[in-house]
Amino acid sequence: MADEIDEILERSPLIALVQADEVETAVQTSRALIAGGISIIEVLFRTDAALDCLRAVAQEVPEAVAGAGTVLSAGQADEALDAGARFIVSPGLDEGVVGVARSAGAPVFPGICTATELQCAYNLGLETVKFFPASIAGGVPALKALASVFRTMRFIPTGGVSPDNLADFLAIPAVVACGGSWLTPGDLIAKGNFGGITALARDALSITEKAR
Ligand code: 3PG
């Protein structure tokens, strides 16, 4: 499964975050992203409907690689995997979450933003972590400094990534993907402007192609 995610990240190193109160919104947003060329979709566990949204995206949008984000506990990781998550993302590093994902053979990307956290991740045998919150944890210079020390680590900057800094993050060789909610703005979703989301996905992909 880790290989499968690697292959997809190679093709489109973007992870779109989807936060929805309703299943239908999550499904429509995911379809709009797919239409724009982004297939890795992280459903955020920040609403009461998150589990249902994840299950629906996993079942009804077969082109998507649906995972769970903002997973805070081992129990949530378990629920997410049961609902069809193909990867798990956490804002911080938690051994319980990592353990549950690993037992299921699912890729897990815990968040780190300091050398100490990164060293813990390294010693847990993790190879890819989320760098969070990327823009305020020092941005590109901080990530370059961390990557130069932890030479085998790969990073997914997330948190404050936008079209303005996407190319700079992607230009760092250790960056395998960037994640963010700029691809799924609440105002477009509220207006039902899913075409706007497809356009944002296309724009992001074009930045990605130029940066790589
Ligand atoms: C996350 O959960 O990874 C962050 O909320 C993403 O940050 P962003 O909203 O700035 O993209």
Side-chain angles (χ1 to χ4, degrees):
M1 201 179 278
D3 291 348
E4 177 201 38
I5 294 279
D6 278 351
E7 249 179 63
I8 295 160
L9 287 175
E10 286 283 316
R11 224 173 42 213
S12 151
L14 293 168
I15 301 178
L17 309 193
V18 171
Q19 176 170 339
D21 289 310
E22 282 164 22
V23 163
E24 193 46 33
T25 307
V27 168
Q28 280 185 285
T29 305
S30 301
R31 289 196 176 124
L33 289 162
I34 299 277
I38 294 181
S39 54
I40 308 190
I41 291 169
E42 179 184 327
V43 178
L44 300 183
F45 273 34
R46 292 194 211 161
T47 68
D48 292 343
L51 206 51
D52 290 335
C53 290
L54 170 63
R55 192 177 291 110
V57 174
Q59 285 174 3
E60 295 173 32
V61 192
E63 309 93 326
V65 177
T70 320
V71 174
L72 302 181
S73 66
Q76 273 187 342
D78 236 345
E79 287 178 341
L81 292 164
D82 271 357
R86 285 160 71 182
F87 62 92
I88 300 287
V89 184
S90 302
L93 177 62
D94 179 84
E95 281 193 47
V97 171
V98 171
V100 166
R102 276 188 164 159
S103 306
V108 55
F109 308 120
I112 62 88
C113 75
T114 66
T116 301
E117 292 161 357
L118 187 49
Q119 194 162 334
C120 288
Y122 176 85
N123 286 315
L124 286 175
L126 291 160
E127 293 172 354
T128 305
V129 291
K130 168 175 171 166
F131 176 51
F132 176 77
S135 65
I136 57 172
V140 167
L143 185 47
K144 280 185 177 165
L146 290 170
S148 72
V149 176
F150 295 88
R151 293 179 305 114
T152 55
M153 270 289 178
R154 305 186 314 163
F155 298 88
I156 303 174
T158 310
V161 178
S162 72
D164 293 337
N165 58 18
L166 177 60
D168 294 336
F169 277 116
L170 288 173
I172 301 173
V175 168
V176 284
C178 285
S181 66
W182 90 90
L183 295 157
T184 53
D187 58 332
L188 290 189
I189 293 174
K191 286 183 204 143
N193 184 354
F194 295 103
I197 289 178
T198 298
L200 285 174
R202 286 203 180 112
D203 288 349
L205 273 186
S206 124
I207 293 173
T208 300
E209 275 153 25
K210 283 181 201 138
R212 291 261 154 168

